[in-house]
Amino acid sequence: MKPALALAVVAALLPAVAGAASVRSVTAPAVVSALAFEGGRVAYATGFSAGDCNRVFVWNLATRGVSKLGRKTHCEQTSTGNAVESVSIAGTRVLWVHYAGGNLREWSLWTATTSLPSPSRVAAVTRDVDAPAPIVIGPGESTKQGDLLPYAVDRRVVALRANGSRRFTWTAPGRVTALAAAGGALGVASAGGVVTVLDAAGRVERTETFTGEVSTVRLAGAAVLAQVGRRLVLRQGAARSWLLPAGARPEHANARDAFYAAGGQLRRLRLANGALRVLGLGSRLRVDETRFASTAGRRVVVQALPSG
């Protein structure tokens, strides 16, 4: 890994208040546009700063070092935007989706690692600015079941290993709208409200069909959690659902909880009884076992999940 950056990034262990866990934070050089958290590493992307733009960083919580990855996209301010839309990490490998353009939007998918920070372009697609995103990535993982870092271009789904090799490829029944890896499995949402769960070898384990287009999918233990419009639907035996606040998007789920940000608040929803708890303030959050990462402006914070 490259040494910690001597730029406008500050890593600090902040004093804990009574009864609370330690909180760590870094300050990015620009507003954070995307966030990922896995295996003790936080990946985040920033927007425009003085002399730079659309930069991806990896914060190693064990060493407290921050690595800056390379950039091969331009910083021209285009009429309909120029940004890193999403980022994912497994081990030391990061995937990110970038877009730029006017009436036509150029989408590109990039990957790099902390030891090989010069990015390689994985895919590139040009579409009308009003067309759905043709490139989708989802949260990755590196566990005892193996590492899994997923992406899709239209219907084609690819699962990478952390070393960059392909674990499997699969063709979805329609254009892919969302992805998420968890517990050695991969959830694939495709057009028509279909969610397919694949095992670690890319074989179909189950299929669920929802009554509308699925914008976000998460695997919550043995259950499938999907966002359809503003409704969050849990499928495990009998279906249960909750109405989310406007603008909310599920960021993470496990067998017990779902997590989302809405109205500047970070919230945890207990799936067993629908109990809601506000974890703090921010615009994004990602969970890794017993900790969660969140963003607010230029600040990235990692802290322990509350036990209750």
Side-chain angles (χ1 to χ4, degrees):
M1 172 183 277
K2 288 186 177 294
L5 298 173
L7 42 85
V9 178
V10 180
L13 182 63
L14 303 178
V17 298
S22 296
V23 177
R24 292 185 182 183
S25 70
V26 295
T27 301
V31 172
V32 176
S33 62
L35 180 70
F37 185 20
E38 194 279 328
R41 292 180 176 87
V42 179
Y44 56 94
T46 60
F48 284 75
S49 61
D52 202 3
C53 75
N54 301 333
R55 186 68 69 171
V56 177
F57 300 87
V58 178
W59 176 20
N60 187 323
L61 298 178
T63 66
R64 303 190 191 181
V66 176
S67 295
K68 180 169 70 172
L69 302 183
R71 175 178 58 79
K72 294 185 178 180
T73 53
H74 62 73
C75 284
E76 179 183 348
Q77 294 273 19
T78 57
S79 61
T80 57
N82 179 356
V84 174
E85 184 198 47
S86 52
V87 64
S88 182
I89 186 170
T92 63
R93 178 166 298 280
V94 182
L95 277 177
W96 66 94
V97 177
H98 175 266
Y99 68 84
N103 292 333
L104 294 179
R105 179 165 282 181
E106 298 174 356
W107 296 85
S108 54
L109 175 66
W110 300 86
T111 187
T113 68
T114 52
S115 58
L116 295 171
S118 180
S120 298
R121 193 173 70 175
V122 179
V125 181
T126 300
R127 293 285 163 83
D128 186 89
V129 67
D130 295 322
I135 302 176
V136 176
I137 62 176
E141 65 170 5
S142 52
T143 66
K144 62 183 180 181
Q145 291 95 346
D147 32 80
L148 193 62
L149 192 55
Y151 74 87
V153 180
D154 291 323
R155 293 175 56 200
R156 185 168 179 261
V157 177
V158 179
L160 297 179
R161 298 181 177 89
N163 65 10
S165 65
R166 289 181 184 174
R167 189 164 183 175
F168 64 81
T169 62
W170 182 73
T171 301
R175 176 182 54 83
V176 174
T177 60
L179 294 164
L186 178 62
V188 182
S190 53
V194 177
V195 173
T196 308
V197 180
L198 308 176
D199 68 12
R203 296 178 296 243
V204 175
E205 288 188 337
R206 60 189 284 207
T207 299
E208 298 280 359
T209 302
F210 295 83
T211 57
E213 295 295 340
V214 175
S215 58
T216 308
V217 65
R218 295 291 183 263
L219 300 181
V224 171
L225 193 69
Q227 182 179 8
V228 180
R230 286 181 53 193
R231 191 155 292 277
L232 186 62
V233 183
L234 182 73
R235 286 280 180 82
Q236 185 180 24
R240 285 175 286 159
S241 68
W242 300 266
L243 184 65
L244 296 174
R249 175 173 174 154
E251 305 279 10
H252 181 84
N254 55 37
R256 190 172 68 171
D257 301 308
F259 301 85
Y260 64 92
Q265 293 183 338
L266 310 174
R267 305 180 185 184
R268 182 187 69 187
L269 174 70
R270 187 123 296 168
L271 299 175
N273 56 16
L276 193 63
R277 176 166 180 168
V278 175
L279 302 178
L281 302 179
S283 56
R284 295 173 183 83
L285 81 158
R286 294 289 189 272
V287 178
D288 184 49
E289 297 181 350
T290 61
R291 298 177 290 184
F292 72 99
S294 62
T295 67
R298 293 170 54 198
R299 194 166 182 242
V300 183
V301 179
V302 172
Q303 56 193 303
L305 282 168
S307 56

